[in-house]
Structures are given as C-alpha cells and as structure tokens.
Amino acid sequence: MAQLKSLTIRMYRGILGDCFLVRPTVVADGRETVKTILIDCGVLQNVAAGADMLAKLNAAVIKGAGKDRLAAVVAGPKQISAVAKDVLKEVDGRIDLLVITHEHFDHLSGFSAEKAGFLDKGLTIGRLWFAWTEDPKDQQAIDLRTRFRQAKQALAAAVSLTVRLGADAPAPLQNAAALAAFSGPLELPGLAANGQQSTADIVAMLKGKAGAAATSYLEPGQVIDLTEFGLKAYVLGPPRLEKLLKKDSPSAGPEKEVYVTQQDMAAAAQSTIMAQLALEANGGAAPIADDVTPFARIHHRPLKVPAKKGRTKRKEEMPRHAVADLYDEPASTWRKIDTDWTGSIEALALKMDSDTNNTSLALAFETADGQVLLFPGDAQVGNWLSWNNQTYPRERKSDSDPAPISAEDLLQRVTFYKAGHHGSHNATLKTLGLERMSDPRLTAAIPVVEAVAAIQGKGRTEAGKGWKMPYAKMYEDLKARTRGRIVQGDGDPAAECLAFTTNPTDTKNPVSVTHDDLWVELTYRFEMDG
C-alpha cells in the first residue's frame, strides 16, 4: 500500500487565472514515486502588458491600481505560455490526474497556448475529471449547455459592439465585455474568434487526448479512493438542484433570486445588441429589417424631415424632425433612454459569469492523517450551500463500511484552501464556509493579480470601480484564520516566507514555502508507518 511521504502544491504566479500543480510523493514497497495532479491552467483573456496598460489608462486609475504593480504585469498570453511550458516540463510526459473545474477561459487557456505540447504523443493523461455538467450523455447537462450557448452568443455581440464604440461605449457595456473575457473567445455568426480556441474547443481537445476510458464526469457525494496517490477525493459539487446552481449570492429569502440566463432573456438581450450593431453599420440610419430592432417600423421616426415628393433637396440638407429636436433638448436629458438597454446586457454578463462559476467541480482531497486540501474551483454561494445536501459517500454500501461523513466535518479539517474565484465576495461562504475551517494549521492560496482586477470593467475609466479581488472582508478573515499564511499570485515573496516561518503550521513538520518568479510552492510532510 502506498504511503504519502510529502506533497507539494505549486500555484503559478502573475496570472488572473488558475493553475495548480499538486505532486504527492508516495512510497510503496520501498520505492518512492512522485505523482502529478494538474488542476486547471488558464489566464483571463486580453490581459495586456503593463506598459501597454499604462499608456491607455488615465492618471487616477493608474494611481488607484498602483503604477508599479501595473508596470510589472506580463501580458496574459506570454505569461500563460510560460506557465504551461513549466507544467509540461515538470510532469515529464505524464499527468496522472487532470482536473478541469469549469469552462472558463481563465482556467483553460494554457492548454490552448501550448496546444502542441499537451497534444504531444509523448504526453499521457492517466485520468481526466470533469463535473457532471460536462457529460455529453447527461440530459440535464445538455439542457444547461443549450441555455449557456444562447447567452454566450449575446455576450459575443456585446463584445463586438463595445469594440466598435471604443471609448464611447457605456460603462455597463464595458463591464459586460470585461466579464465576457472569462468565457474566452466568443463565436457569433459573421464574427471570427481571432483564430483562438473557444473553451468548448479546449474541453473537446482534452477529452480527445485522454480518451473516453480515462474521462470521468463526477457527481456530488462521490468518494474516490486515490490509493496510488496516498489520497482520497470527495466530490462536493456542483449540485444537481438548479435552484442552487443559479444561486450566486446570499439573499433575504428563498424567493428573492432573479435569473436572467434563461433562453428568452438571452434572446431578448441578443436582439437588442443586434439592433445596435445594425445601427452602427448603417451610420446611425434605421436598419431595413424589423427583426433587428426593438420597435416595429410603425413606431420609427427619422432624425431628419423626409423630402417631399418631387422635391430635389437632398435629405442631408433637410431640417431635423421635431421629435428629434425635442428628444435632444438639454432640459429633457433625464428622459433619454439611449443607454438604458446596456443595463440588461451587464446583468446578463454578471449572471452568465456566476452561473458558469457555480458549475465548478469542487473537490476535497484527504490525506492519510486526516488533513483536507480544498479546491472549490470558482464555486459560488449555491454550490457551497449544496455541500450540506449530502453525506460522503451518499450512503453506505454495506454495514461494514465506515459511516458517511458531512461537509462540516471535511471543512473543519481543511489545512489548505484554494480561495475561490480569485478571492471575490461571493466565492467563499462565511458561516457555512470559512468559519468552519477551524484547523490551526490552515494555509491558503489566492490566484490573483490585484492590479489587473482593479482595472476591469468600470475600473478601466474610474478609479476604485474595478473588481474587488480579493474582497477585503473575506481576506481579513482568512488572514486571521491562517495567521497570515497566505500565498498570492502577486504576493511579496519575502513577506509570505516570513509569515510561514513566524507562525509555523506545526512544530515537527511545518509547511514550508518556496518562491520562483513563475510560481510559489507549499510543501507538506507526513509521518509514515514504520
């Protein structure tokens, strides 16, 4: 039987994305073997190099995000390519277990950036794990993907319009485009995806590489013995109950959720975007087809008075229509609705992002001495809540089997926590999450680059309006519970090392931390029998 001697968790730095390489060292029959577990590999789409960002941002935004921190940012494609190359070098031809938590570009793009390396005949994938939501034969999963596809098309159109409008794009539209970056290159009829692979293409590529026999779609409540790794895996989520799949934030009551990723809402959003694209293409003139406008032709009004029959004066020289003059009066500005439609697009983008995050495959790995390593992907509120809906395993197969355990029991033994969704406000539960992590050896990793998060969405033009990653209240609580033992994607290596040496996790076998420009690594050591 294999015994776990040590385990390293390598988090790759400098990316607003996730890439973790976990390597258990096991001893069996006197022979020592290092196993490899890769959990995701990606970076947020369209992250520019620091110098390029500084050239485009205003002084207030630069000051708020930190000039030096922005200057240090490496362009996303360049950084994730370096990360993926390091992963391929370290696994040395074999990934024993590849875990894909969910279909977001910031968790998958590395596989596309170094596609040739991951498809190389010299590389093998022992096991490939997805959540049940990726199962091509599961009807519920098929229905979910159909709805997501409609929403993705609407977002693709929003991105296209945002690019065309440039600096004139309304703030909600800019925010929607920033959120769409999580979904990766988006396809729309008539628009190319810049030659990049979509997230669906990357998933299909990995399935093809591993093969059907090595690919598993995991269900909540499963317990998987990874004897050869010296570990046991508990599948916490995503839930089967769609009410929880769509719940992305706490609410005052069970009926307060409003879901906008339904097909009818996505279709309405896409129709509105297509109307705006058509207007842009026609220089502001009303498009000919009624099916791309929100109002029927009978309600259209020209900006200029139409020329009368037999009149030779050109339309461009005709006076403005009285309705147009009335609409543009300064005193009537409060009535204008030109950009009101962008709010629905922003809401769709927010909900699409959180709903995809909630399909995350959330895993807890247990070591022989009972420690738990928690990797929740980007699971949000509903996913976390669902962990309490089942025991692990769901039921005993025989009376001789150990009694099933609860999610609370697992959380109480967490000694490593991968912060969900880069430490955002709704990806770590408080009472039913972090407050249950009571083991004094707790350590944490936050895969984030704060300066990049700070200039996303509205943060591109307004200081302090970007993404709050990590969320301050969550971070302070996590810092207190770990006694400062946190590593971060843009953290200060000296300060992080000091926290681990000043407050060791254990007197006999403390967790050690090692830094490189490209990664930070935590090492856990275990007592073995004999």
Side-chain angles (χ1 to χ4, degrees):
M1 180 178 176
Q3 291 192 72
L4 185 61
K5 179 181 179 181
S6 64
L7 181 143
T8 62
I9 300 174
R10 175 174 292 192
M11 177 180 74
Y12 284 91
R13 290 164 45 87
I15 54 175
L16 185 55
D18 271 30
C19 188
F20 285 81
L21 182 61
V22 182
R23 287 179 289 188
T25 298
V26 295
V27 178
D29 299 325
R31 184 180 177 184
E32 196 171 288
T33 306
V34 178
K35 296 290 185 179
T36 55
I37 304 172
L38 178 61
I39 304 175
D40 294 330
C41 186
V43 67
L44 185 69
Q45 192 181 196
N46 301 330
V47 174
D52 294 332
M53 290 191 291
L54 289 171
K56 295 178 181 179
L57 300 171
N58 65 53
V61 168
I62 292 173
K63 182 179 179 180
K67 185 175 181 180
D68 292 341
R69 300 185 81 172
L70 283 170
V73 173
V74 179
K78 180 179 179 180
Q79 186 74 349
I80 199 61
S81 179
V83 165
K85 285 177 180 176
D86 188 77
V87 167
L88 290 166
K89 175 176 70 72
E90 291 296 317
V91 300
D92 193 24
R94 182 173 176 82
I95 301 172
D96 293 298
L97 171 59
L98 174 56
V99 178
I100 303 300
T101 61
H102 63 296
E103 202 175 304
H104 260 167
F105 200 68
D106 63 319
H107 290 248
L108 291 172
S109 62
F111 300 106
S112 180
E114 293 300 322
K115 179 180 178 181
F118 284 105
L119 291 180
D120 191 281
K121 291 182 179 179
L123 177 72
T124 59
I125 298 174
R127 305 189 194 195
L128 175 59
W129 285 1
F130 293 101
W132 63 266
T133 49
E134 292 295 336
D135 188 345
K137 296 179 181 179
D138 187 296
Q139 189 56 52
Q140 186 182 1
I142 293 169
D143 292 342
L144 283 172
R145 288 195 296 274
T146 299
R147 278 177 273 164
F148 279 19
R149 193 176 302 117
Q150 179 102 43
K152 282 186 175 182
Q153 289 176 340
L155 289 182
V159 171
S160 177
L161 181 58
T162 305
V163 171
R164 290 192 189 187
L165 294 176
D168 294 328
L173 200 58
Q174 291 185 36
N175 200 31
L179 288 165
F182 282 119
S183 295
L186 299 165
E187 298 285 359
L188 186 71
L191 297 175
N194 300 321
Q196 292 181 306
Q197 286 182 292
S198 68
T199 53
D201 291 335
I202 297 171
V203 166
M205 177 189 89
L206 295 174
K207 289 181 181 180
K209 173 64 177 177
T215 303
S216 299
Y217 305 96
L218 307 186
E219 295 278 349
Q222 273 186 272
V223 178
I224 305 168
D225 282 319
L226 295 172
T227 308
E228 68 272 32
F229 296 80
L231 299 169
K232 185 179 289 186
Y234 296 83
V235 184
L236 304 173
R240 280 283 183 175
L241 186 62
E242 287 202 29
K243 182 177 181 180
L244 290 176
L245 267 178
K246 294 178 179 180
K247 184 174 176 62
D248 56 25
S249 58
S251 59
E255 306 302 326
K256 296 295 184 181
E257 314 309 324
V258 178
Y259 307 125
V260 298
T261 53
Q262 297 172 9
Q263 284 179 284
D264 54 347
M265 297 297 286
Q270 186 173 2
S271 175
T272 305
I273 282 281
M274 295 306 292
Q276 296 297 323
L277 284 169
L279 285 169
E280 286 293 313
N282 285 278
I288 296 174
D290 282 343
D291 60 355
V292 295
T293 65
F295 302 109
R297 179 164 291 278
I298 192 174
H299 299 298
H300 292 185
R301 292 293 182 271
L303 290 177
K304 295 183 181 297
V305 176
K308 294 181 179 179
K309 189 175 181 179
R311 197 167 177 176
T312 58
K313 194 172 184 181
R314 298 185 321 171
K315 282 188 177 183
E316 289 79 0
E317 299 173 1
M318 300 303 293
R320 281 171 57 84
H321 196 286
V323 171
D325 286 335
L326 182 63
Y327 185 72
D328 285 335
E329 280 186 356
S332 299
T333 300
W334 64 275
R335 291 180 174 177
K336 294 173 82 69
I337 60 172
D338 298 63
T339 62
D340 283 13
W341 61 273
T342 62
S344 66
I345 304 300
E346 182 180 30
L348 175 66
L350 284 164
K351 200 71 185 95
M352 183 63 193
D353 175 60
S354 60
D355 281 359
T356 304
N357 285 335
N358 247 353
T359 65
S360 287
L361 176 60
L363 297 171
F365 294 97
E366 182 185 39
T367 64
D369 65 354
Q371 294 186 60
V372 172
L373 317 173
L374 181 59
F375 289 88
D378 284 348
Q380 302 197 334
V381 172
N383 196 322
W384 280 77
L385 289 174
S386 75
W387 301 353
N388 300 289
N389 289 356
Q390 65 266 330
T391 56
Y392 304 89
R394 284 185 173 274
E395 56 187 25
R396 300 169 84 175
K397 292 181 180 179
S398 69
D399 292 339
S400 61
D401 289 340
I405 62 176
S406 66
E408 182 175 8
D409 175 71
L410 288 170
L411 289 174
Q412 286 174 346
R413 293 186 282 119
V414 169
T415 56
F416 171 83
Y417 171 48
K418 196 288 294 189
H421 201 225
H422 323 296
S424 65
H425 73 287
N426 59 348
T428 301
L429 283 200
K430 184 180 179 182
T431 305
L432 298 180
L434 200 52
E435 288 184 2
R436 285 180 168 177
M437 299 182 201
S438 55
D439 194 300
R441 296 169 292 179
L442 181 64
T443 62
I446 308 177
V448 69
V449 177
E450 289 188 47
V452 173
I455 62 166
Q456 298 304 309
K458 297 175 184 177
R460 293 182 185 275
T461 54
E462 298 180 61
K465 296 294 184 179
W467 298 341
K468 304 297 189 296
M469 296 177 173
Y471 186 60
K473 290 182 179 179
M474 187 283 297
Y475 180 81
E476 288 305 316
D477 194 4
L478 186 61
K479 185 177 179 181
R481 291 179 180 278
T482 59
R483 300 180 68 190
R485 296 184 300 257
I486 300 174
V487 293
Q488 190 165 302
D490 58 352
D492 177 9
E496 290 178 352
C497 286
L498 182 62
F500 277 79
T501 54
T502 304
N503 298 303
T505 57
D506 184 80
T507 55
K508 191 173 183 181
N509 290 310
V511 173
S512 61
V513 59
T514 307
H515 287 81
D516 180 85
D517 289 341
L518 198 60
W519 47 259
V520 56
E521 194 166 81
L522 301 182
T523 300
Y524 297 74
R525 295 175 178 82
F526 304 91
E527 296 290 332
M528 295 192 299
D529 295 338

mmCIF file of all heavy atoms in Angstrom, residues 325-351:
data_model
loop_
_atom_site.group_PDB
_atom_site.id
_atom_site.type_symbol
_atom_site.label_atom_id
_atom_site.label_comp_id
_atom_site.label_asym_id
_atom_site.label_seq_id
_atom_site.Cartn_x
_atom_site.Cartn_y
_atom_site.Cartn_z
ATOM 1 N N ASP A 325 -35.586 66.977 -32.293
ATOM 2 C CA ASP A 325 -35.203 68.199 -31.577
ATOM 3 C C ASP A 325 -35.688 68.166 -30.134
ATOM 4 O O ASP A 325 -34.965 68.535 -29.199
ATOM 5 C CB ASP A 325 -35.762 69.427 -32.291
ATOM 6 C CG ASP A 325 -35.007 69.749 -33.573
ATOM 7 O OD1 ASP A 325 -33.822 69.356 -33.654
ATOM 8 O OD2 ASP A 325 -35.590 70.375 -34.466
ATOM 9 N N LEU A 326 -36.922 67.705 -29.955
ATOM 10 C CA LEU A 326 -37.493 67.631 -28.618
ATOM 11 C C LEU A 326 -36.713 66.643 -27.747
ATOM 12 O O LEU A 326 -36.439 66.909 -26.574
ATOM 13 C CB LEU A 326 -38.962 67.202 -28.704
ATOM 14 C CG LEU A 326 -39.727 67.117 -27.377
ATOM 15 C CD1 LEU A 326 -39.812 68.499 -26.717
ATOM 16 C CD2 LEU A 326 -41.128 66.561 -27.604
ATOM 17 N N TYR A 327 -36.322 65.522 -28.355
ATOM 18 C CA TYR A 327 -35.607 64.488 -27.595
ATOM 19 C C TYR A 327 -34.239 64.979 -27.143
ATOM 20 O O TYR A 327 -33.756 64.598 -26.073
ATOM 21 C CB TYR A 327 -35.448 63.235 -28.469
ATOM 22 C CG TYR A 327 -34.837 62.042 -27.762
ATOM 23 C CD1 TYR A 327 -35.556 61.337 -26.808
ATOM 24 C CD2 TYR A 327 -33.532 61.637 -28.039
ATOM 25 C CE1 TYR A 327 -35.011 60.247 -26.142
ATOM 26 C CE2 TYR A 327 -32.971 60.545 -27.380
ATOM 27 C CZ TYR A 327 -33.719 59.860 -26.434
ATOM 28 O OH TYR A 327 -33.170 58.788 -25.788
ATOM 29 N N ASP A 328 -33.598 65.825 -27.959
ATOM 30 C CA ASP A 328 -32.237 66.278 -27.653
ATOM 31 C C ASP A 328 -32.177 67.580 -26.865
ATOM 32 O O ASP A 328 -31.089 68.111 -26.619
ATOM 33 C CB ASP A 328 -31.447 66.450 -28.955
ATOM 34 C CG ASP A 328 -31.035 65.113 -29.547
ATOM 35 O OD1 ASP A 328 -30.921 64.141 -28.772
ATOM 36 O OD2 ASP A 328 -30.838 65.023 -30.770
ATOM 37 N N GLU A 329 -33.325 68.120 -26.459
ATOM 38 C CA GLU A 329 -33.306 69.341 -25.657
ATOM 39 C C GLU A 329 -32.560 69.098 -24.347
ATOM 40 O O GLU A 329 -32.790 68.077 -23.678
ATOM 41 C CB GLU A 329 -34.744 69.790 -25.331
ATOM 42 C CG GLU A 329 -35.420 70.532 -26.467
ATOM 43 C CD GLU A 329 -36.765 71.074 -26.017
ATOM 44 O OE1 GLU A 329 -37.159 70.786 -24.860
ATOM 45 O OE2 GLU A 329 -37.410 71.784 -26.813
ATOM 46 N N PRO A 330 -31.667 69.994 -23.949
ATOM 47 C CA PRO A 330 -30.918 69.826 -22.697
ATOM 48 C C PRO A 330 -31.820 69.581 -21.489
ATOM 49 O O PRO A 330 -31.485 68.795 -20.600
ATOM 50 C CB PRO A 330 -30.156 71.148 -22.567
ATOM 51 C CG PRO A 330 -30.003 71.618 -23.980
ATOM 52 C CD PRO A 330 -31.264 71.221 -24.687
ATOM 53 N N ALA A 331 -32.968 70.239 -21.452
ATOM 54 C CA ALA A 331 -33.866 70.084 -20.307
ATOM 55 C C ALA A 331 -34.491 68.691 -20.246
ATOM 56 O O ALA A 331 -35.032 68.295 -19.211
ATOM 57 C CB ALA A 331 -34.971 71.133 -20.376
ATOM 58 N N SER A 332 -34.409 67.947 -21.350
ATOM 59 C CA SER A 332 -35.020 66.614 -21.396
ATOM 60 C C SER A 332 -34.002 65.483 -21.252
ATOM 61 O O SER A 332 -34.339 64.317 -21.462
ATOM 62 C CB SER A 332 -35.789 66.451 -22.715
ATOM 63 O OG SER A 332 -36.824 67.391 -22.826
ATOM 64 N N THR A 333 -32.789 65.852 -20.904
ATOM 65 C CA THR A 333 -31.728 64.845 -20.803
ATOM 66 C C THR A 333 -32.109 63.696 -19.874
ATOM 67 O O THR A 333 -31.798 62.530 -20.145
ATOM 68 C CB THR A 333 -30.417 65.501 -20.310
ATOM 69 O OG1 THR A 333 -30.031 66.518 -21.236
ATOM 70 C CG2 THR A 333 -29.308 64.474 -20.201
ATOM 71 N N TRP A 334 -32.794 64.002 -18.785
ATOM 72 C CA TRP A 334 -33.158 62.984 -17.798
ATOM 73 C C TRP A 334 -34.090 61.929 -18.377
ATOM 74 O O TRP A 334 -34.211 60.828 -17.832
ATOM 75 C CB TRP A 334 -33.790 63.636 -16.581
ATOM 76 C CG TRP A 334 -35.104 64.332 -16.875
ATOM 77 C CD1 TRP A 334 -35.258 65.603 -17.338
ATOM 78 C CD2 TRP A 334 -36.412 63.787 -16.737
ATOM 79 N NE1 TRP A 334 -36.574 65.911 -17.497
ATOM 80 C CE2 TRP A 334 -37.322 64.805 -17.124
ATOM 81 C CE3 TRP A 334 -36.917 62.570 -16.320
ATOM 82 C CZ2 TRP A 334 -38.701 64.628 -17.120
ATOM 83 C CZ3 TRP A 334 -38.293 62.384 -16.302
ATOM 84 C CH2 TRP A 334 -39.178 63.405 -16.703
ATOM 85 N N ARG A 335 -34.746 62.281 -19.512
ATOM 86 C CA ARG A 335 -35.679 61.336 -20.121
ATOM 87 C C ARG A 335 -35.003 60.390 -21.126
ATOM 88 O O ARG A 335 -35.619 59.430 -21.575
ATOM 89 C CB ARG A 335 -36.783 62.093 -20.866
ATOM 90 C CG ARG A 335 -37.740 62.853 -19.974
ATOM 91 C CD ARG A 335 -38.786 63.564 -20.807
ATOM 92 N NE ARG A 335 -39.805 64.190 -19.983
ATOM 93 C CZ ARG A 335 -40.802 64.915 -20.475
ATOM 94 N NH1 ARG A 335 -40.890 65.113 -21.773
ATOM 95 N NH2 ARG A 335 -41.701 65.451 -19.670
ATOM 96 N N LYS A 336 -33.771 60.691 -21.508
ATOM 97 C CA LYS A 336 -33.124 59.927 -22.573
ATOM 98 C C LYS A 336 -32.907 58.463 -22.151
ATOM 99 O O LYS A 336 -32.567 58.180 -21.007
ATOM 100 C CB LYS A 336 -31.772 60.562 -22.948
ATOM 101 C CG LYS A 336 -31.929 61.936 -23.582
ATOM 102 C CD LYS A 336 -30.583 62.604 -23.792
ATOM 103 C CE LYS A 336 -29.900 62.127 -25.051
ATOM 104 N NZ LYS A 336 -30.587 62.598 -26.266
ATOM 105 N N ILE A 337 -33.115 57.580 -23.111
ATOM 106 C CA ILE A 337 -33.018 56.145 -22.825
ATOM 107 C C ILE A 337 -31.986 55.465 -23.734
ATOM 108 O O ILE A 337 -31.978 54.245 -23.871
ATOM 109 C CB ILE A 337 -34.385 55.447 -22.996
ATOM 110 C CG1 ILE A 337 -34.887 55.621 -24.434
ATOM 111 C CG2 ILE A 337 -35.383 55.957 -21.977
ATOM 112 C CD1 ILE A 337 -36.119 54.801 -24.752
ATOM 113 N N ASP A 338 -31.113 56.270 -24.341
ATOM 114 C CA ASP A 338 -30.163 55.728 -25.311
ATOM 115 C C ASP A 338 -29.354 54.546 -24.794
ATOM 116 O O ASP A 338 -29.067 53.599 -25.523
ATOM 117 C CB ASP A 338 -29.185 56.834 -25.763
ATOM 118 C CG ASP A 338 -29.896 57.979 -26.446
ATOM 119 O OD1 ASP A 338 -30.715 58.621 -25.758
ATOM 120 O OD2 ASP A 338 -29.639 58.220 -27.637
ATOM 121 N N THR A 339 -28.943 54.624 -23.525
ATOM 122 C CA THR A 339 -28.070 53.571 -22.996
ATOM 123 C C THR A 339 -28.746 52.694 -21.949
ATOM 124 O O THR A 339 -28.094 51.859 -21.332
ATOM 125 C CB THR A 339 -26.797 54.201 -22.373
ATOM 126 O OG1 THR A 339 -27.185 55.044 -21.285
ATOM 127 C CG2 THR A 339 -26.026 55.008 -23.401
ATOM 128 N N ASP A 340 -30.039 52.890 -21.749
ATOM 129 C CA ASP A 340 -30.718 52.081 -20.725
ATOM 130 C C ASP A 340 -30.639 50.583 -21.017
ATOM 131 O O ASP A 340 -30.561 49.765 -20.091
ATOM 132 C CB ASP A 340 -32.194 52.495 -20.628
ATOM 133 C CG ASP A 340 -32.376 53.800 -19.856
ATOM 134 O OD1 ASP A 340 -31.362 54.478 -19.627
ATOM 135 O OD2 ASP A 340 -33.521 54.112 -19.506
ATOM 136 N N TRP A 341 -30.647 50.239 -22.289
ATOM 137 C CA TRP A 341 -30.620 48.825 -22.672
ATOM 138 C C TRP A 341 -29.338 48.132 -22.225
ATOM 139 O O TRP A 341 -29.305 46.917 -22.059
ATOM 140 C CB TRP A 341 -30.766 48.704 -24.193
ATOM 141 C CG TRP A 341 -29.653 49.380 -24.942
ATOM 142 C CD1 TRP A 341 -29.585 50.675 -25.316
ATOM 143 C CD2 TRP A 341 -28.442 48.781 -25.375
ATOM 144 N NE1 TRP A 341 -28.407 50.949 -25.957
ATOM 145 C CE2 TRP A 341 -27.680 49.793 -26.010
ATOM 146 C CE3 TRP A 341 -27.916 47.495 -25.297
ATOM 147 C CZ2 TRP A 341 -26.435 49.551 -26.563
ATOM 148 C CZ3 TRP A 341 -26.668 47.261 -25.850
ATOM 149 C CH2 TRP A 341 -25.938 48.272 -26.473
ATOM 150 N N THR A 342 -28.263 48.907 -21.999
ATOM 151 C CA THR A 342 -26.988 48.278 -21.643
ATOM 152 C C THR A 342 -27.029 47.656 -20.248
ATOM 153 O O THR A 342 -26.244 46.763 -19.945
ATOM 154 C CB THR A 342 -25.825 49.295 -21.689
ATOM 155 O OG1 THR A 342 -26.063 50.332 -20.725
ATOM 156 C CG2 THR A 342 -25.711 49.917 -23.070
ATOM 157 N N GLY A 343 -27.961 48.117 -19.405
ATOM 158 C CA GLY A 343 -28.068 47.529 -18.073
ATOM 159 C C GLY A 343 -28.449 46.065 -18.130
ATOM 160 O O GLY A 343 -27.950 45.246 -17.344
ATOM 161 N N SER A 344 -29.330 45.703 -19.065
ATOM 162 C CA SER A 344 -29.741 44.303 -19.181
ATOM 163 C C SER A 344 -28.597 43.440 -19.685
ATOM 164 O O SER A 344 -28.465 42.277 -19.303
ATOM 165 C CB SER A 344 -30.949 44.177 -20.118
ATOM 166 O OG SER A 344 -30.604 44.533 -21.448
ATOM 167 N N ILE A 345 -27.733 44.014 -20.537
ATOM 168 C CA ILE A 345 -26.582 43.268 -21.050
ATOM 169 C C ILE A 345 -25.585 43.022 -19.922
ATOM 170 O O ILE A 345 -25.031 41.928 -19.774
ATOM 171 C CB ILE A 345 -25.895 44.023 -22.205
ATOM 172 C CG1 ILE A 345 -26.895 44.330 -23.317
ATOM 173 C CG2 ILE A 345 -24.720 43.224 -22.731
ATOM 174 C CD1 ILE A 345 -27.531 43.107 -23.935
ATOM 175 N N GLU A 346 -25.375 44.033 -19.093
ATOM 176 C CA GLU A 346 -24.463 43.876 -17.957
ATOM 177 C C GLU A 346 -24.993 42.819 -16.989
ATOM 178 O O GLU A 346 -24.245 41.982 -16.485
ATOM 179 C CB GLU A 346 -24.280 45.201 -17.235
ATOM 180 C CG GLU A 346 -23.302 45.115 -16.065
ATOM 181 C CD GLU A 346 -23.131 46.447 -15.359
ATOM 182 O OE1 GLU A 346 -24.093 47.251 -15.357
ATOM 183 O OE2 GLU A 346 -22.056 46.684 -14.800
ATOM 184 N N ALA A 347 -26.322 42.860 -16.740
ATOM 185 C CA ALA A 347 -26.923 41.871 -15.844
ATOM 186 C C ALA A 347 -26.765 40.459 -16.401
ATOM 187 O O ALA A 347 -26.489 39.511 -15.662
ATOM 188 C CB ALA A 347 -28.403 42.193 -15.634
ATOM 189 N N LEU A 348 -26.942 40.325 -17.709
ATOM 190 C CA LEU A 348 -26.771 39.016 -18.349
ATOM 191 C C LEU A 348 -25.335 38.525 -18.192
ATOM 192 O O LEU A 348 -25.088 37.361 -17.878
ATOM 193 C CB LEU A 348 -27.137 39.102 -19.829
ATOM 194 C CG LEU A 348 -26.890 37.838 -20.656
ATOM 195 C CD1 LEU A 348 -27.801 36.708 -20.193
ATOM 196 C CD2 LEU A 348 -27.105 38.106 -22.142
ATOM 197 N N ALA A 349 -24.374 39.435 -18.401
ATOM 198 C CA ALA A 349 -22.960 39.060 -18.292
ATOM 199 C C ALA A 349 -22.614 38.623 -16.869
ATOM 200 O O ALA A 349 -21.914 37.627 -16.664
ATOM 201 C CB ALA A 349 -22.071 40.230 -18.712
ATOM 202 N N LEU A 350 -23.117 39.365 -15.890
ATOM 203 C CA LEU A 350 -22.869 39.018 -14.489
ATOM 204 C C LEU A 350 -23.450 37.655 -14.146
ATOM 205 O O LEU A 350 -22.808 36.834 -13.491
ATOM 206 C CB LEU A 350 -23.474 40.087 -13.572
ATOM 207 C CG LEU A 350 -22.725 41.416 -13.461
ATOM 208 C CD1 LEU A 350 -23.622 42.486 -12.855
ATOM 209 C CD2 LEU A 350 -21.451 41.245 -12.639
ATOM 210 N N LYS A 351 -24.681 37.417 -14.591
ATOM 211 C CA LYS A 351 -25.337 36.156 -14.255
ATOM 212 C C LYS A 351 -24.699 34.994 -14.999
ATOM 213 O O LYS A 351 -24.530 33.903 -14.452
ATOM 214 C CB LYS A 351 -26.825 36.243 -14.589
ATOM 215 C CG LYS A 351 -27.637 35.194 -13.849
ATOM 216 C CD LYS A 351 -27.716 35.526 -12.363
ATOM 217 C CE LYS A 351 -28.423 34.437 -11.574
ATOM 218 N NZ LYS A 351 -27.540 33.477 -10.967
#
